[in-house]
Amino acid sequence: LGTVSRSEASAWMACEILKLTWRAQNPKTVQLWRDLEDAAVEAVAMPGKITSIPNGKIRFRRAGSFLFCRLPSGRAIAYPYPRLIEKETPWGSKVAGITYKGVHPLTKQWCDQNFYGGLSAENVTQGLCRDIMAEAMCRVDDPNSLVVLTVHDEIVCYCRQTTLSPNDFEHIVTIPPAWCADLPIAAEAWAGPRYKK
């Protein structure tokens, strides 16, 4: 197996302490990871059954060759060819887990991917943010402020006239969609002659 240096062991220990401290200070996030994984495992185990996290806003269902994760917007994330596996926890017990097919980020080959609560939380968060931004783009796109591109979480508009101020833009894009009316949304807008980072 090889050996690790004292500095590598110290670095690993420091990272482990930071990880455990963060998890202890953010129990709701850790619980969300568990809830998402539990709901997904139940859905894969019982094809056709709709499962959800406790608040009911994120639901899973296995249909055919896919595990679908339905977001509050109504859009779904699809995980192809899900199957249950038995995985070992860091403390040695066996629990049900899921693998699905996906593209490996380095080799670009179609292969098994591990589904876990943290991954699902990341996918759900990014999906929700995309859906919120897509609705905001529809609200700001008009003949006087054309949406010309997006860069990650930025909306870039070409404004023919100065009818839309940065404050107006911020107000328009931070109106929450009906499906997440209680979600706080913030934005920072600026105007200039050209796009810059």
Side-chain angles (χ1 to χ4, degrees):
L1 291 173
T3 60
V4 295
S5 69
R6 182 174 292 203
S7 64
E8 290 172 323
S10 295
W12 180 88
M13 184 61 75
C15 291
E16 191 68 11
I17 290 168
L18 284 172
K19 176 186 82 176
L20 295 174
T21 301
W22 187 93
R23 288 180 180 179
Q25 293 174 351
N26 296 277
K28 289 184 180 180
T29 300
V30 174
Q31 187 60 53
L32 174 64
W33 298 340
R34 289 186 188 117
D35 293 342
L36 288 165
E37 189 164 354
D38 290 347
V41 165
E42 185 180 355
V44 172
M46 304 179 78
K49 180 179 180 182
I50 296 172
T51 62
S52 70
I53 63 172
N55 69 11
K57 292 186 177 183
I58 299 165
R59 290 178 259 170
F60 290 89
R61 183 170 72 98
R62 181 178 181 176
S65 299
F66 291 90
L67 170 64
F68 292 100
C69 173
R70 188 171 188 268
L71 302 173
S73 64
R75 193 169 63 87
I77 299 170
Y79 299 92
Y81 303 107
R83 63 186 171 84
L84 290 178
I85 59 166
E86 185 178 75
K87 64 181 186 179
E88 189 170 334
T89 66
W91 46 93
S93 63
K94 304 278 188 187
V95 296
I98 300 172
T99 64
Y100 65 97
K101 293 291 187 184
V103 177
H104 191 280
L106 298 177
T107 67
K108 307 301 182 203
Q109 298 295 309
W110 188 249
C111 62
D112 283 343
Q113 307 279 318
N114 289 319
F115 180 98
Y116 54 95
L119 171 77
S120 182
E122 176 189 353
N123 294 166
V124 165
T125 301
Q126 290 180 345
L128 286 171
C129 292
R130 177 263 171 217
D131 294 345
I132 290 166
M133 190 166 128
E135 288 198 25
M137 288 170 61
C138 293
R139 287 194 301 273
V140 296
D141 192 43
D142 68 34
N144 292 319
S145 61
L146 299 172
V147 174
V148 292
L149 78 125
T150 62
V151 180
H152 301 295
D153 61 351
E154 297 177 274
I155 302 171
V156 181
C157 292
Y158 172 73
C159 296
R160 298 173 197 263
Q161 301 171 12
T162 56
T163 56
L164 186 65
S165 73
N167 285 342
D168 293 336
F169 185 89
E170 288 174 7
H171 173 72
I172 292 168
V173 300
T174 57
I175 298 168
W179 48 267
C180 66
D182 58 345
L183 183 69
I185 302 171
E188 185 178 340
W190 60 272
R194 64 184 62 83
Y195 174 73
K196 65 181 180 180
K197 282 300 272 181

